Amino acid sequence: MIEDAAPRVFWTDRPGAPGPYEPLHGRTTADLLVVGGGFTGLWAAVLAKQENPACDVVLVEARSVAYGASGRNGGFVADSLTHGIGHGARLWPAENAALLALGRANLAAIARFVDDHGIDADLRLVGKTTVAVAPHQVEELRRAEKLHREHGEDAVFLGRDEMRADVDSPTYLAGLRLRGTGGLLDPAGLAWGLARVAARLGVRVHEGTEVTALTRTRTGVEARTGGRAVVHAGQVLLATNAFPSPLRRLGLFMLPVWDYVLVTEPLSAEQRASIRWPEGQGLTDAGNQFHYYRLTRDDRVLWGGYDAIYNFGGGGSEQRDASHERLARHFFATFPQLRGLRFTHRWGGVIDSTSRFTPFFGTAMGGRLAYALGYTGLGVGASRFGALVGLDLLARRSTARTRPRMVRRHPVPFPPEPLRWPVVELTRRALARADDNEGRRGPWLRVLDHLGIGFDS
């Protein structure tokens, strides 16, 4: 089923990337050094220059702009900063309303930026639908509808017939349609657009430049690269996402998880009609192990998720036949009317997760360095917020973004190896058992819940 699929990322398998930007050579200085050319780093560079055009900003990226999760994700953009309303209400009940307002303002600002700068990111704020594919999930979606409505959102519960009248799959038992709470975009288009805006504003962008060491100095931070270049910066913003950070202690708070994706050939008019899907919103399953899927601009189906693989020591491969084959089987079980459709692209990539499923922030080196990491699958939207938090922290500003406990406190750290892998594997299996047991959480998940660790999907 997957043998004809090219082992390449659909979003970046085309011309149109900016640059290439030359690697950094020799020695240079900067007011602000941004480490990482994904969404967080690009937003930080752009926002810093917009705030202060005189600020000398250098952005370095180990590979190429949008190489990591920023260019490999499914293209879902959400207004949530807390991994969903329910998760935020459980972890930060007193601050949930404020965090919701910050998230909604952040998404609106992204939409304005894309429009103001003419970025071709195919941004469509069409919301999303969560579907129940097991009986116990139906009641979960009813409760979720009530929660979303209480927070002022346009949420509509759909029974089986209503759900299948919108998007037709024999696996659907119900759905929860959310409008106005996010949507879809072309992630590489957004990242490439941000890079072009950054360069126009005067940011010095360097690809192929990996920072290998950071040292505090009397006047700031010295960054050394694998190519023996050196940057003397007044301040540094780390935006390395799931990749190893030169500030190694941050690795305790992040889990590099491998996620896998398939993309089909474009649907014919008859195939598209057979599944309906008139609004083209993104869809996800309601389980702990879930699929996410969506239509692209040219009516392909991007289908990913389910397997979230942590390998001992955090390594992995961009191609994993077992995961891709499982995704293909699940795709045709969901849409049997599309049997015979070919997959044209397959890939995998590492994302960063935290024990509470939300990002974390902080400073080091006497406040000269700030970081924003751990988006756990929601970084397309939340990365802009993370960049602003990082800039606020560097400026030592107390703002509505820096005051919430979610920002001020770190998640529970993961244990180091060799204990990390068995703990993660135990949790993964417990979540799968809960899916098979009508959602009932076993003893291990209840212990994690008691500790305030956010493994509740």
Side-chain angles (χ1 to χ4, degrees), residues 218-344:
R218 184 176 58 83
T219 58
V221 179
E222 180 183 273
R224 293 186 173 272
T225 77
R228 298 187 179 180
V230 178
V231 183
H232 294 278
Q235 296 177 320
V236 174
L237 195 146
L238 276 183
T240 48
N241 197 45
F243 293 93
S245 167
L247 196 62
R248 293 186 179 180
R249 62 183 172 85
L250 298 181
L252 292 173
F253 300 101
M254 290 193 302
L255 189 75
V257 177
W258 288 81
D259 181 55
Y260 293 91
V261 185
L262 295 172
V263 170
T264 73
E265 63 187 336
L267 302 181
S268 67
E270 293 76 16
Q271 289 169 327
R272 175 65 191 273
S274 74
I275 57 174
R276 303 191 175 101
W277 215 342
E279 295 180 73
Q281 76 274 22
L283 287 96
T284 62
D285 306 335
N288 293 311
Q289 289 183 290
F290 64 94
H291 306 93
Y292 56 84
Y293 44 113
R294 55 159 297 180
L295 293 166
T296 65
R297 189 179 342 213
D298 59 349
D299 273 348
R300 301 169 186 264
V301 181
L302 180 148
W303 176 268
Y306 198 81
D307 280 353
I309 305 298
Y310 173 72
N311 299 300
F312 187 90
S317 171
E318 296 174 10
Q319 302 300 327
R320 189 173 188 270
D321 287 351
S323 291
H324 287 137
E325 290 166 0
R326 183 176 294 110
L327 281 172
R329 290 194 300 271
H330 292 179
F331 176 85
F332 289 117
T334 301
F335 295 123
Q337 63 269 52
L338 298 181
R339 189 161 294 279
L341 191 68
R342 294 173 56 252
F343 296 104
T344 62

Side-chain angles (χ1 to χ4, degrees), residues 48-252:
K49 289 293 284 187
Q50 287 184 326
E51 179 182 351
N52 178 12
C55 183
D56 183 16
V57 180
V58 171
L59 183 149
V60 295
E61 160 58 38
R63 300 290 187 91
S64 57
V65 166
Y67 168 79
S70 295
R72 301 184 188 193
N73 64 81
F76 285 65
V77 59
D79 60 1
S80 177
L81 306 174
T82 62
H83 213 83
I85 284 178
H87 197 61
R90 185 172 73 85
L91 293 183
W92 302 287
E95 297 177 342
N96 199 33
L99 290 167
L100 279 170
L102 286 169
R104 290 165 179 166
N106 180 67
L107 180 60
I110 292 172
R112 286 195 303 271
F113 184 91
V114 168
D115 186 57
D116 289 347
H117 292 275
I119 294 175
D120 184 13
D122 191 30
L123 176 60
R124 293 174 278 135
L125 296 180
V126 291
K128 76 167 190 174
T129 299
T130 303
V131 296
V133 293
H136 71 274
Q137 295 169 4
V138 175
E139 186 56 36
E140 291 174 3
L141 293 188
R142 288 189 184 276
R143 292 195 297 270
E145 179 198 30
K146 182 175 183 293
L147 181 64
H148 281 276
R149 285 180 171 272
E150 288 172 351
H151 288 83
E153 295 194 345
D154 181 1
V156 179
F157 175 83
L158 305 173
R160 185 174 76 170
D161 292 344
E162 294 171 301
M163 183 65 236
R164 293 191 61 177
D166 184 31
V167 184
D168 190 15
S169 168
T171 66
Y172 295 165
L173 304 180
L176 179 64
R177 182 73 174 99
L178 299 175
R179 293 181 175 86
T181 58
L184 302 168
L185 53 68
D186 175 336
L190 176 59
W192 292 351
L194 282 167
R196 290 189 174 95
V197 173
R200 286 201 299 268
L201 291 172
V203 176
R204 290 183 280 154
V205 180
H206 296 280
E207 296 175 319
T209 304
E210 180 181 6
V211 172
T212 55
L214 294 168
T215 306
R216 183 179 175 182
T217 68
R218 184 176 58 83
T219 58
V221 179
E222 180 183 273
R224 293 186 173 272
T225 77
R228 298 187 179 180
V230 178
V231 183
H232 294 278
Q235 296 177 320
V236 174
L237 195 146
L238 276 183
T240 48
N241 197 45
F243 293 93
S245 167
L247 196 62
R248 293 186 179 180
R249 62 183 172 85
L250 298 181
L252 292 173

Side-chain angles (χ1 to χ4, degrees), residues 37-48:
F39 286 138
T40 301
L42 291 166
W43 278 118
V46 167
L47 293 166

